[in-house]
Amino acid sequence: MTAHEGATVLVVEDEPSIADVLAIALRYHRFEVMTAGTVRQALTLAERTRPDAALLDVMLPDGDGRALGRELRLRRPDLAIVFLTARDAPAEIVGALGFGDDYITKPFNIDEVVARITAVLRRTRPDDVLPQRPPLRYGELELDETTYSVHRGDRTVELTPTEYALLRFLVRNGGRIVPKEQLLRHVWQYEHSAESTVVETYISYLRRKLEPLGPPVIQTRRGVGYGLA
């Protein structure tokens, strides 16, 4: 596998709208993507194409995603497996991680899914070359889209996947003020949540982590949105 081709991810999700969102996001990040809606389709695709990673919904119409994960792992011991589940009970999580590499609970943030798959591939296939992308820069900020690391000057900033996704979108928009509704749509995939306070909450998280390292970098345009100073 070359860096240009990227890793191949098998997405197994029976909800077409969710499968489409996942496929679009992964392809945007230069992964090759195959989708299946059932256990049977997934096994056929995995046998024919030998993916590098599998993103598996736990509840599928013709079986259990965890059982599918066990079967895929038996066939391919080096396959990276990440589960998507609406269940967050400790017993469910422990059961999934018994043979999988990670899990993500629904509803999920799409950037977190990409970050988790990338991280799992680095752990399970360290000798493979994953797609390399040039850093994003704005002023003192530098975002590495390969390692999902952030620096302000010579200092590392530890961000959660959602904080990273929000900062990345602001950096990509340079000094432009981004409307709150656009942030909700692109970072959280919210279409009709104008009253949500999630943007304000995560902007405050970013400020707490960035401002101790230098002058304020995030500006607020009241009633409109946020941008970088």
Side-chain angles (χ1 to χ4, degrees):
M1 180 180 68
T2 67
H4 177 72
E5 292 171 335
T8 299
V9 181
L10 171 61
V11 176
V12 186
E13 167 61 61
D14 65 317
E15 192 66 46
S17 59
I18 296 177
D20 287 345
V21 167
L22 290 168
I24 290 169
L26 288 166
R27 288 182 181 123
Y28 175 79
H29 286 274
R30 302 182 186 178
F31 289 99
E32 298 294 329
V33 182
M34 305 175 297
T35 60
T38 65
V39 170
R40 178 176 295 182
Q41 290 173 356
L43 290 172
T44 300
L45 278 175
E47 188 67 29
R48 189 170 70 232
T49 59
R50 295 183 63 81
D52 301 292
L55 182 61
L56 309 178
D57 189 9
V58 168
M59 300 181 67
L60 295 167
D62 61 340
D64 190 317
R66 291 166 298 182
L68 171 60
R70 289 191 193 96
E71 179 62 28
L72 291 174
R73 180 57 61 79
L74 285 173
R75 298 185 184 190
R76 288 277 311 283
D78 62 341
L79 179 69
I81 297 176
V82 178
F83 288 101
L84 283 173
T85 176
R87 306 167 178 173
D88 58 3
E92 296 287 345
I93 293 169
V94 170
L97 291 180
F99 52 90
D101 300 294
D102 206 346
Y103 75 96
I104 301 168
T105 56
K106 296 179 180 179
F108 54 80
N109 174 274
I110 194 65
D111 286 289
E112 180 180 3
V113 174
V114 175
R116 296 284 190 95
I117 290 175
T118 302
V120 164
L121 280 168
R122 283 204 165 78
R123 295 199 302 267
T124 59
R125 303 174 68 86
D127 296 329
D128 281 346
V129 180
L130 291 177
Q132 300 294 312
R133 309 188 71 185
L136 290 174
R137 292 187 175 91
Y138 187 87
E140 291 185 315
L141 294 173
E142 181 178 294
L143 283 67
D144 189 321
E145 295 203 273
T146 301
T147 63
Y148 288 85
S149 60
V150 177
H151 290 83
R152 184 171 188 184
D154 59 356
R155 303 283 296 277
T156 300
V157 185
E158 298 293 338
L159 300 182
T160 66
T162 302
E163 291 166 353
Y164 178 90
L166 175 57
L167 181 61
R168 179 178 60 184
F169 196 71
L170 292 175
V171 168
R172 283 178 173 171
N173 281 275
R176 188 173 73 87
I177 296 295
V178 182
K180 174 183 172 181
E181 291 75 15
Q182 191 173 350
L183 291 170
L184 284 167
R185 189 163 56 248
H186 284 271
V187 178
W188 286 272
Q189 284 75 54
Y190 291 174
E191 290 294 340
H192 305 289
S193 301
E195 299 305 315
S196 172
T197 61
V198 67
V199 175
E200 290 85 348
T201 299
Y202 274 87
I203 288 290
S204 70
Y205 293 162
L206 284 178
R207 283 177 167 148
R208 289 177 199 170
K209 294 183 177 182
L210 294 171
E211 291 184 4
L213 306 179
V217 67
I218 299 176
Q219 59 179 323
T220 302
R221 183 71 57 82
R222 294 194 180 279
V224 181
Y226 301 90
L228 299 179

